[in-house]
Amino acid sequence: MSRYWSAVVHGLTPYVPGEQPQIANLVKLNTNEHPYGPSPLALAAMRAAADEGLRLYPDPNAAALKAALAQRHGLLPEQVFVGNGSDEVLAHAFMALLKHERPLWLPDISYSFYPVYCRLYGLSACTIALRPDFSLAPDDYLPHPGGERAGAIIFANPNAPTGRLLALDGVERIVAGNPDAVVLVDEAYIDFGGQSAAELVPKYPNLLVVQTFSKSRALAGLRVGYALGQAPLIEALERVKNSFNSYPLGRLALAGALASVADEAHFGANCQRVIDTRAWLNDQLEALGFEVLPSAANFVFARHPAHRGADLAAALRQRAVLVRHFAAPRIDAFLRITVGTPEQCAALVAALTEVVERVAVQPT
Ligand SMILES: *Cc1c(COP(=O)(O)O)cnc(C)c1O
């Protein structure tokens, strides 16, 4: 605290990202990074872009990247917005599209950055409880018969940190049922087993789909995210972006992202490897007595009936295995475990086996 702080800063509750410690031989399964590297074509493109040209500003409109993303999703370039990681895209969307007189509706268990943006931009929010099985019920997001309706709606699909997927017809039900409200679908994990709502963009003027290069394209360090929506929604994001920073993506990021989009083969194969390892990890955890929520993401969310989540996370940390634990209502017992390589997942399972069985044989 400081008397030099503005009133806004006093009122902030910043997001706390998963740690990035510098520990040797760490099995790092806490921030949902991709276990395999980015496309070699993306790395080559970035090396090639690291030249004298860096003295020049990048293209403020990222035209080449927008065109490539538009083509990949069967949309038009004016239906694409790009930003410095999807967190920045989301931040602009909160200000440009989600802040209205009526409150923003969002699930009680969701990406923990959303409440942070609500505070930053002064949005009122109304949380809607996920069902007891942690599924999202589309009917809970339709205008109430009494007339109450959302100012806007946001949810992650697959959800974070549960990993549960809402099928595309459920997403469409929410979008179609709220023609007066923007519905933002955060698809950070959609490439690990879901069907994107991007195909619904031409049909619905109130739908904004947000994706990222950080998870499925293994480029978390590059900071590239994007939004897909009809031109008026994209224009709103551009207005905020151009009132904030004209050049959110540098030349290296633009070059790397463009080449990544072009390498569909590398992308598809490495997502499939993660999906295969997820199935194996799921079985191993269940064999250890864990309840594992069905996941369509590159992580699993699991709890053990006989162990506290915080204790398990701490015991794993002692064994140089990092996972994420959220000390939050309803999910305190769970661990969120990123799907790593088969070797990393085997190390996690070995450590968990030790912890679960060691504690189990202790006299009571
Ligand atoms: C990781 C994540 C993001 C942020 O991704 P960046 O593009 O790295 O900023 C956004 N939403 C959800 C749900 C995420 O898990």
Side-chain angles (χ1 to χ4, degrees), residues 31-32 84-88 90 111 114 156 158 160 186 188-189 211-215 220 223-225 336:
T31 52
N32 297 343
N84 191 253
S86 61
D87 284 338
E88 187 185 80
L90 291 168
Y111 187 34
Y114 303 153
D186 180 352
Y189 301 104
Q211 294 198 7
T212 176
F213 284 64
S214 295
K215 313 288 168 46
R223 312 306 302 131
V224 183
R336 191 197 68 188

Side-chain angles (χ1 to χ4, degrees), residues 97 100 102 143 149-153 174-183 205-206:
L97 298 166
H100 293 284
R102 277 174 277 125
R149 57 200 169 91
I153 295 170
I174 296 172
V175 178
N178 288 278
D180 297 325
V182 169
V183 178
N206 60 323

Side-chain angles (χ1 to χ4, degrees), residues 199-351:
E199 66 184 71
L200 302 178
V201 161
K203 201 169 156 191
Y204 295 100
N206 60 323
L207 170 64
L208 192 76
V209 176
V210 173
Q211 294 198 7
T212 176
F213 284 64
S214 295
K215 313 288 168 46
S216 57
R217 293 189 178 274
L219 285 167
L222 201 60
R223 312 306 302 131
V224 183
Y226 59 102
L228 306 169
Q230 291 191 10
L233 299 191
I234 299 303
E235 192 190 331
L237 296 173
E238 296 287 354
R239 287 173 68 105
V240 170
K241 171 239 170 197
N242 288 320
S243 306
F244 179 78
N245 177 6
S246 311
Y247 306 105
L249 293 189
R251 287 177 167 268
L252 301 186
L254 290 172
L258 187 62
S260 169
V261 176
D263 195 351
E264 195 65 37
H266 175 94
F267 167 74
N270 278 355
C271 286
Q272 189 56 49
R273 288 166 83 186
V274 170
I275 292 167
D276 294 345
T277 308
R278 180 178 70 207
W280 179 86
L281 178 59
N282 194 90
D283 292 349
Q284 296 292 310
L285 291 172
E286 285 183 352
L288 281 173
F290 280 87
E291 177 200 350
V292 189
L293 299 189
S295 171
N298 68 338
F299 58 84
V300 296
F301 205 49
R303 67 180 158 194
H304 196 284
H307 297 275
R308 296 178 50 219
D311 294 347
L312 288 174
L316 286 173
R317 198 171 202 289
Q318 281 174 354
R319 290 161 177 79
V321 179
L322 275 197
V323 299
R324 193 102 199 249
H325 171 256
F326 297 92
R330 294 186 72 189
I331 56 170
D332 192 48
F334 283 87
L335 298 178
R336 191 197 68 188
I337 306 168
T338 304
V339 178
T341 61
E343 295 72 28
Q344 288 176 311
C345 290
L348 165 95
V349 169

